[in-house]
Amino acid sequence: MARKTYTSDDIDVTFDLKICVHSAKCLRGLPQVFDTSARPWAQPWQASADEVAAVIHTCPSGALQYHRKDGAPDEPIPDQNTISIRSDGPYYFRGDLRLHVGDQVLEMTRLALCRCGSSQNKPFCDNSHRTSGFTDAGDSPDNSQRKGDAPTGGPLEIIPEENGPLILDGNFEIISADKQAVFRGKRAFLCRCGHSESKPFCDHTHARIGFVAEGEAPD
């Protein structure tokens, strides 16, 4: 992935446009630093490093990241792995994440991954759900799949199966669009073709409809 760096004395900010989902949390949270009408659009010297870091933590896709140069720690690894389902939108992952893309493993704390099946940058979300007609409220599925008080921390491997689901291997919790914890466990298969009747879980519809996810490798 190609990252551009914006630097100040106390903090370096990096940005990867290709995985940005344009949530605008940075623009609203710290407009004196993040302003798409300015050049450069990111000016971390316009605020304290603490303020910049705090806003970057709200970036759901991981497109924005930072490195502290003032002796303060970089972004901590969350002690819980969560997958939040967005109504008519992507999966938002947070945690100690290991995303397998091509022959690389990307270590991230925040990710927005496609669940509509239409992204041109799979496995990442590129906002194709907004124009593809994808609809899914993402509300609580059958809570019989909930696994009680299982642990939710530690490394989480995220493996996009070729032309198939996202395989999750590690402790995690799935949170529905209506903010309900609906599943805790160590392994699951999440739909990413957009057509499962058991969303967010895979029901093998991808095989029937001929779902194809080509070229899943970072540039």
Side-chain angles (χ1 to χ4, degrees), residues 81-158:
N81 300 314
T82 59
I83 302 101
S84 298
I85 302 169
R86 292 302 177 191
S87 178
D88 302 331
Y91 300 112
Y92 283 166
F93 284 74
R94 280 185 180 266
D96 187 1
L97 311 176
R98 308 284 192 274
L99 176 64
H100 296 245
V101 185
D103 59 358
Q104 298 187 33
V105 179
L106 306 179
E107 296 186 5
M108 304 280 283
T109 57
R110 294 167 278 115
L111 286 168
L113 299 185
C114 175
R115 74 182 185 103
C116 73
S118 298
S119 172
Q120 298 302 301
N121 189 34
K122 297 181 185 73
F124 305 101
C125 172
D126 70 354
N127 285 331
S128 288
H129 56 271
R130 297 180 180 177
T131 56
S132 67
F134 175 70
T135 59
D136 179 66
D139 289 340
S140 306
D142 182 354
N143 280 339
S144 66
Q145 299 197 73
R146 185 168 176 174
K147 298 299 182 182
D149 294 325
T152 56
L156 176 61
E157 307 291 332
I158 308 166

Side-chain angles (χ1 to χ4, degrees), residues 4 25 32 70 90-91 93-94 124 129 137 191 210 212 214 218:
K4 189 167 183 178
K25 290 182 179 293
Q32 69 269 37
D70 57 359
Y91 300 112
F93 284 74
R94 280 185 180 266
F124 305 101
H129 56 271
C191 173
V212 175
E214 296 179 340

Side-chain angles (χ1 to χ4, degrees), residues 161-167 187-212:
E161 183 179 273
E162 184 176 2
N163 302 328
L166 291 173
I167 302 171
R187 191 168 176 85
F189 298 80
L190 299 186
C191 173
R192 65 185 185 121
C193 73
H195 293 279
S196 172
E197 296 297 325
S198 301
K199 296 182 187 72
F201 303 104
C202 171
D203 67 357
H204 300 284
T205 297
H206 60 272
R208 178 174 57 81
I209 66 173
F211 173 69
V212 175

Side-chain angles (χ1 to χ4, degrees), residues 2 15-20 120-121 124-126 217-219:
F15 177 63
D16 185 350
L17 176 62
K18 195 170 183 180
I19 66 171
C20 179
Q120 298 302 301
N121 189 34
F124 305 101
C125 172
D126 70 354
D219 291 337

